[in-house]
Amino acid sequence: MKKVLKIVGITLLIILALLVAIPFAFQGQIKNMVKNFINQNVNAKVEFSDVSLSFIRSFPQAHITVSDLVITNFKPFEGETLATAKDIAFTMSVKELLKSADDDPIVVNSIKIDEALLTLKTNAFGNTNYDITKASENTSPSADAPNGFAFDIEDYSINNSALTYIDDISKTQMYLTELNHSGNGTFSEEKSQLDTKTTANISMTIDSTQYLNQNAIKLDALIGMNLKEQKYTFMENKGFINQLPLVFDGYIQLIEEGQDIDITFENPESSFKDFLAVVPESYSKNIETVETSGDFKVKGLIRGKVTETTIPTLDINIKSDNASFKYHDLPKSVSNISIDTSIKNETGNVDDTFVDIKTLNFKIDNDVFKSDAVIRNLTKNMLVNANIDGTLNLANITKAYPVDFDKELSGVLKAKLNTSFDMEAIETNAYERIKNAGSVNLSDFVFSSEDLINPLQINAANMTFNNGNVSLNNFDAKTGKSDFNAKGSIKNLLGFLLSDKKLQGNFDLNSNTLVVSDFMAESETAPNTANKTSAPKASLKIPDFLDCTINAKANTVLYDNLTLKNVEGTLAIKDQEADLKNLSSNLFNGVLALTGKISTKTDTPIFDLNIGADGFDIAQSFKSLDLLQSIAPIAKALQGKLNTVIKLQGTLGSDMTPNLNSVSGDAFAELLTTSVNPGEASILNKLNGALNFIDFGKLDLKDLKAKLDFSNGQVNVKPFDLDYKDIKMVVSGSHSFDQTMNYNAVFQVPAKYLGSEVNRLIGKINDNDVNQLTIPVTANITGNYASPQIKTDLTSGVTNLTKQLVEIEKQKLINKGTDKVTDLLGGLLGGTKNQTTTDSTTVKTDSTKTTNTSTVSEGVKDLLGGLLKNKKKKKDSTKN
């Protein structure tokens, strides 16, 4: 007995070893078989990482797995992925693996697909990416092609997969996610039954309109199969759209042109709760606790052929009469609900499908809302004709229905409106095809948007609709600290509400107070945030949805730290750009004029402006405007009026004020009735110390004109003239916005201001030309405005002047005779009329009427030495 058990055990081990080892012998054959099948049947690039064979997983059948399958299209979808699958497993009889190349096709009994992603596309030219099967002379499933496959499936499954369908012609997109489908039956018999189970989430959009959004669907169906006629009949089945139950009857038959369909369906119950069940659960919440009354019925018929040119006719009806519902945890109920809607196609032409909403009425509290609409041409240029008549308190929506909005709704909407349009007319602004008639009134409404930095509180809005135009009769609103009242016209309100079109219009706007930052939006990213430890501040943006012209009048406009009074002008807004035209305002006791553009299209806003100022108070303007302080910091020491024209370009910071280092442009300034306060500027105090013959507090700046240009943080001042009594001055140079400077001031100083020695010399010469003599004195100003550095050439200038005076007089004396020279030198050197001193030697000129050239030279040396010695003593007054 032991021997028998031992033999049996050894035999079992051998069989098990063979079951494990034999697949390795067939591994190459299986791979070649799969590759041959693909090459013979598929017109696409197919890749997989491995093909494995097992005799154990599906014993006694063989189990083949293709791993990491990827199918990539050829032209015209070249490079696009048609399908991927983590695993595709087949089971078949072991004997099928032993067939030679000349034998019948290999018969597959079951298929299991895991984590498949399938994308089906039809482009605008009608090409499909899933038509990848190679043409064959014999397309029968039992074709005697070597190494082919035939399918005698008993069961199949698709697990955790997804399907995408995109049709560019009909503008249809459908997405199935979390798809799980399985079926089992006997496919080898001519007539049999297939038991299927399907669950998935479905989303569907047609021509930019979303009809389904992650709606859960479920179908358990017993399907009768007639393989000879390729006809599949619904026998016992029940499906769900979200939680709405539907039962199906009818069949689908494969024909040469496509499919022949004859299906009816309806909801087996008639509670109005079935209507709420159609709404996605994330919106309808827990409908089990909802109290409902009234009925709800869905009944449909789909009959006809699906071919390249036709679809089945449709007759789907949805009705409810005098229904109501109330969520137990909400204070309001919705009552008097009447729904009568049909989805129809009577011709089989897909373009003739339409939705007829005969009645859609409801009541919340005492507010009754009625509507009807017909929507045609769903798959192309959708046509809409709708009527709205009713009152709706928007705050009651969330009190009666558990819908979540980003912001709480409020306000009362009253509408009596008929509208007729096609979507292409809205998209192309073809106003002649947009027919509107009626009125809409909105009161106490609060509108919030990511395009607005503050909510917009609409106290009252009254609009009259007339074809493609909307007359805004009154618009009284507030946002942030701003109030305004507007009238005007809107060209494409429906385009703005129903699509991504801009809000176009022309408006007259009046305001008591406007704060510019209230009308800006925060961008997602802010510029210049590198290497910062704190969170970046979002930059402000001009709303992208605005395309309008505004003729504005405002009593007060607040911009940054400026308060502008009596503002008037035109503002054209488009593509996140504001074009300012003829904007004027009272500012700094003068008048401001402004034209130019501001753009926030880029991450960093830019501006290009022309600014005119008439009669600005200098002290106020330079105290309030950083830009003016940077352009002319010395102006804070000035009192009086200013006229200026400034052209400038640059970028704006997150608070919409100029980034000074980016600013470039030029300016022309004129000073009127201006006085100087040297105590307000260190530079003037330093100049007073260095040049004691000028009192800078008494400068005459009236009618002063100056030109300058600036870029890259540097201001270049063109030479301009100043006067102080009989002293002429020319000033030029440059400074940077950080107030470092390099200026030259050239003073034409009359000789009489240069000290007593020079004045005595001039008096001795006693010549009119000499009396008018001036010398240029240059003051070089460096450092910064808080701590200026002053250097002058005053000492050298006096020395040069003295040399010139002596030379002039020497030549005059030589011509007139030596006595006069001697008398002059004696007087200049402090002696008596009759003597001069040289090297401690007294020469009496009364007894000697002649002298020689060396005596004159010595006298000149002594004169120059004395003058220079005296000037040296005063040098300290010229030091920094």
Side-chain angles (χ1 to χ4, degrees):
M1 187 67 181
K2 274 186 174 183
K3 188 174 182 180
V4 173
L5 291 175
K6 187 175 181 180
I7 293 172
V8 171
I10 292 172
T11 302
L12 291 174
L13 287 173
I14 292 172
I15 292 173
L16 183 60
L18 289 173
L19 290 174
V20 173
I22 288 175
F24 291 99
F26 286 94
Q27 202 85 356
Q29 181 181 344
I30 296 297
K31 284 188 178 181
N32 291 333
M33 182 174 62
V34 172
K35 288 180 179 179
N36 289 336
F37 175 79
I38 290 171
N39 291 331
Q40 293 171 9
N41 294 276
V42 177
N43 186 28
K45 181 181 179 181
V46 181
E47 299 174 291
F48 50 86
S49 63
D50 194 18
V51 177
S52 60
L53 171 65
S54 172
F55 288 149
I56 297 178
R57 293 182 62 177
S58 302
F59 185 81
Q61 291 185 312
H63 184 96
I64 301 172
T65 302
V66 179
S67 301
D68 301 322
L69 178 71
V70 179
I71 302 176
T72 307
N73 284 112
F74 293 151
K75 291 181 179 180
F77 298 92
E78 187 171 7
E80 296 185 12
T81 301
L82 170 63
T84 65
K86 182 178 180 181
D87 293 303
I88 300 179
F90 306 89
T91 60
M92 62 189 70
S93 173
V94 174
K95 67 179 182 179
E96 299 297 315
L97 298 177
L98 303 176
K99 289 182 177 181
S100 66
D102 297 328
D103 290 336
D104 293 334
I106 296 173
V107 177
V108 176
N109 301 118
S110 69
I111 301 175
K112 181 182 178 183
I113 303 174
D114 291 327
E115 298 183 26
L117 300 175
L118 180 62
T119 301
L120 307 179
K121 286 186 178 182
T122 301
N123 65 19
F125 302 101
N127 301 311
T128 59
N129 72 332
Y130 50 87
D131 185 13
I132 61 172
T133 304
K134 287 184 177 180
S136 174
E137 294 181 2
N138 190 345
T139 59
S140 171
S142 60
D144 296 332
N147 290 324
F149 288 88
F151 296 96
D152 186 10
I153 298 174
E154 294 178 357
D155 63 80
Y156 66 92
S157 66
I158 302 172
N159 305 310
N160 196 24
S161 297
L163 169 68
T164 296
Y165 174 75
I166 300 173
D167 188 337
D168 290 340
I169 297 177
S170 63
K171 298 182 180 179
T172 299
Q173 298 179 1
M174 185 176 70
Y175 304 93
L176 286 176
T177 59
E178 299 181 37
L179 172 63
N180 291 281
H181 173 73
S182 63
N184 60 77
T186 307
F187 286 80
S188 59
E189 298 180 3
E190 187 175 301
K191 290 185 178 182
S192 62
Q193 295 179 350
L194 176 65
D195 191 3
T196 65
K197 296 182 183 297
T198 305
T199 61
N201 293 328
I202 183 171
S203 299
M204 185 172 68
T205 301
I206 300 177
D207 197 18
S208 301
T209 301
Q210 191 162 41
Y211 294 94
L212 298 170
N213 182 22
Q214 286 295 304
N215 294 78
I217 58 173
K218 179 181 179 182
L219 177 63
D220 296 340
L222 182 63
I223 301 173
M225 297 189 299
N226 185 332
L227 297 181
K228 182 177 181 180
E229 297 180 1
Q230 293 187 299
K231 185 175 182 179
Y232 305 90
T233 304
F234 287 99
M235 300 175 67
E236 297 178 10
N237 60 84
K238 190 174 186 179
F240 293 85
I241 300 178
N242 282 345
Q243 299 181 47
L244 172 67
L246 295 173
V247 294
F248 296 82
D249 286 307
Y251 67 86
I252 298 174
Q253 185 175 10
L254 302 181
I255 59 177
E256 185 176 350
E257 305 97 303
Q259 299 94 37
D260 182 21
I261 298 176
D262 191 339
I263 295 175
T264 61
F265 60 89
E266 64 179 332
N267 58 322
E269 303 169 5
S270 60
S271 169
F272 186 75
K273 189 175 290 187
D274 290 347
F275 170 75
L276 297 179
V278 179
V279 181
E281 187 175 357
S282 58
Y283 295 105
S284 62
K285 309 301 181 184
N286 187 9
I287 65 171
E288 286 79 8
T289 62
V290 179
E291 299 175 5
T292 64
S293 65
D295 60 2
F296 175 76
K297 200 68 181 174
V298 176
K299 190 172 184 178
L301 171 64
I302 304 174
R303 179 176 294 164
K305 296 178 180 180
V306 178
T307 68
E308 292 183 356
T309 58
T310 64
I311 64 169
T313 59
L314 305 174
D315 189 4
I316 302 170
N317 297 284
I318 303 170
K319 288 189 178 182
S320 181
D321 186 35
N322 197 27
S324 68
F325 68 87
K326 184 181 185 305
Y327 283 80
H328 77 282
D329 56 347
L330 295 177
K332 304 289 183 181
S333 64
V334 181
S335 60
N336 293 5
I337 302 172
S338 296
I339 302 173
D340 186 359
T341 298
S342 300
I343 303 172
K344 293 193 175 186
N345 185 299
E346 299 170 343
T347 66
N349 183 343
V350 65
D351 297 335
D352 293 335
T353 304
F354 66 94
V355 178
D356 185 5
I357 305 174
K358 299 181 181 69
T359 303
L360 179 57
N361 301 339
F362 60 88
K363 180 180 179 182
I364 303 178
D365 278 351
N366 295 319
D367 297 333
V368 177
F369 195 86
K370 298 179 180 181
S371 63
D372 62 79
V374 177
I375 306 172
R376 298 183 180 275
N377 205 25
L378 298 178
T379 60
K380 290 188 176 179
N381 181 24
M382 189 165 65
L383 307 173
V384 178
N385 191 315
N387 293 288
I388 298 173
D389 184 3
T391 301
L392 188 59
N393 188 330
L394 301 177
N396 283 338
I397 294 177
T398 55
K399 294 178 181 179
Y401 190 79
V403 60
D404 295 325
F405 294 111
D406 293 336
K407 302 290 183 180
E408 183 178 349
L409 287 179
S410 64
V412 176
L413 174 68
K414 295 181 180 180
K416 188 173 180 62
L417 178 67
N418 169 260
T419 180
S420 177
F421 59 89
D422 62 271
M423 290 303 298
E424 186 180 89
I426 290 177
E427 293 170 356
T428 60
N429 297 330
Y431 303 116
E432 68 279 1
R433 301 207 308 266
I434 302 174
K435 310 297 181 183
N436 295 313
S439 63
V440 173
N441 295 284
L442 187 63
S443 60
D444 300 322
F445 177 69
V446 177
F447 174 70
S448 298
S449 167
E450 62 181 9
D451 291 322
L452 296 175
I453 196 169
N454 294 305
L456 178 64
Q457 179 181 327
I458 302 174
N459 300 319
N462 176 266
M463 293 175 284
T464 301
F465 290 78
N466 183 14
N467 293 331
N469 292 320
V470 179
S471 296
L472 185 63
N473 305 315
N474 179 43
F475 190 82
D476 180 16
K478 181 178 180 180
T479 181
K481 298 179 181 179
S482 302
D483 64 88
F484 55 96
N485 189 287
K487 295 180 180 180
S489 62
I490 305 172
K491 293 183 179 179
N492 66 331
L493 182 61
L494 289 178
F496 172 65
L497 296 176
L498 300 179
S499 66
D500 58 354
K501 290 295 180 180
K502 311 291 185 183
L503 183 62
Q504 295 179 322
N506 295 289
F507 306 100
D508 294 325
L509 183 145
N510 292 276
S511 172
N512 183 53
T513 301
L514 280 179
V515 181
V516 173
S517 60
D518 286 341
F519 296 86
M520 312 304 291
E522 291 187 2
S523 67
E524 295 182 358
T525 58
N528 304 323
T529 58
N531 301 321
K532 290 190 177 181
T533 56
S534 59
K537 182 179 179 181
S539 62
L540 300 176
K541 291 285 186 180
I542 298 171
D544 183 48
F545 64 81
L546 288 178
D547 181 2
C548 58
T549 299
I550 301 172
N551 299 309
K553 290 184 179 181
N555 293 333
T556 302
V557 174
L558 301 179
Y559 171 64
D560 194 29
N561 64 337
L562 299 180
T563 300
L564 292 83
K565 295 290 186 178
N566 302 321
V567 178
E568 293 187 27
T570 299
L571 191 65
I573 301 175
K574 185 177 182 179
D575 296 332
Q576 292 188 289
E577 287 188 351
D579 189 358
L580 288 70
K581 301 177 181 178
N582 302 321
L583 183 67
S584 64
S585 170
N586 297 127
L587 182 66
F588 304 135
N589 297 328
V591 177
L592 170 71
L594 187 65
T595 62
K597 285 187 177 183
I598 297 174
S599 173
T600 63
K601 287 196 293 186
T602 57
D603 289 341
T604 303
I606 59 175
F607 67 93
D608 186 348
L609 299 175
N610 294 326
I611 301 174
D614 183 10
F616 267 22
D617 182 277
I618 297 175
Q620 290 185 40
S621 59
F622 280 80
K623 180 179 179 181
S624 301
L625 292 177
D626 290 341
L627 179 62
L628 291 183
Q629 291 180 29
S630 298
I631 292 176
I634 197 174
K636 69 180 182 179
L638 305 182
Q639 304 290 329
K641 296 291 184 178
L642 166 72
N643 290 343
T644 185
V645 176
I646 304 175
K647 297 180 180 180
L648 68 161
Q649 308 86 35
T651 65
L652 297 170
S654 60
D655 57 353
M656 298 300 289
T657 58
N659 292 318
L660 293 181
N661 288 333
S662 73
V663 172
S664 63
D666 56 69
F668 174 78
E670 180 182 23
L671 302 182
L672 307 172
T673 61
T674 303
S675 61
V676 180
N677 180 8
E680 291 292 327
S682 299
I683 184 174
L684 296 180
N685 288 328
K686 280 293 184 76
L687 282 171
N688 272 333
L691 304 170
N692 55 16
F693 47 80
I694 295 181
D695 182 355
F696 285 93
K698 296 180 180 180
L699 279 177
D700 182 9
L701 301 181
K702 185 178 180 181
D703 299 327
L704 170 66
K705 297 179 177 62
K707 292 182 179 180
L708 52 90
D709 61 66
F710 41 90
S711 63
N712 300 319
Q714 189 76 14
V715 179
N716 299 306
V717 179
K718 306 296 175 61
F720 64 90
D721 298 328
L722 288 172
D723 289 328
Y724 174 78
K725 297 182 179 179
D726 52 355
I727 300 175
K728 303 290 185 181
M729 290 169 271
V730 178
V731 181
S732 63
S734 65
H735 68 269
S736 60
F737 284 172
D738 63 6
Q739 297 196 350
T740 59
M741 55 186 172
N742 185 10
Y743 278 93
N744 285 322
V746 180
F747 303 83
Q748 297 296 334
V749 184
K752 62 183 179 181
Y753 294 117
L754 299 179
S756 59
E757 292 85 353
V758 173
N759 284 319
R760 285 172 56 198
L761 183 58
I762 293 174
K764 293 294 183 179
I765 296 174
N766 193 22
D767 187 284
N768 287 334
D769 291 337
V770 173
N771 289 333
Q772 302 299 318
L773 193 62
T774 64
I775 66 167
V777 176
T778 299
N780 180 245
I781 308 166
T782 58
N784 57 62
Y785 279 92
S787 179
Q789 304 295 317
I790 310 294
K791 292 182 179 180
T792 72
D793 60 353
L794 179 61
T795 300
S796 60
V798 171
T799 300
N800 291 334
L801 173 62
T802 304
K803 288 181 179 179
Q804 295 176 38
L805 291 174
V806 171
E807 183 63 28
I808 291 171
E809 189 59 19
K810 182 184 72 171
Q811 293 300 326
K812 292 174 66 175
L813 292 177
I814 290 174
N815 295 334
K816 292 182 179 180
T818 56
D819 287 343
K820 290 184 179 180
V821 173
T822 302
D823 291 342
L824 174 62
L825 291 178
L828 289 175
L829 294 175
T832 64
K833 181 179 179 183
N834 298 319
Q835 62 183 10
T836 184
T837 303
T838 302
D839 293 333
S840 302
T841 301
T842 299
V843 180
K844 295 186 182 263
T845 57
D846 286 340
S847 59
T848 306
K849 298 295 182 182
T850 61
T851 188
N852 54 40
T853 304
S854 62
T855 304
V856 176
S857 299
E858 292 298 327
V860 172
K861 285 183 180 181
D862 290 346
L863 172 63
L864 293 179
L867 289 175
L868 292 177
K869 183 176 181 181
N870 291 332
K871 287 298 179 184
K872 187 174 181 181
K873 293 179 181 179
K874 295 185 178 183
K875 188 176 182 180
D876 291 341
S877 67
T878 65
K879 290 184 179 180
N880 297 340

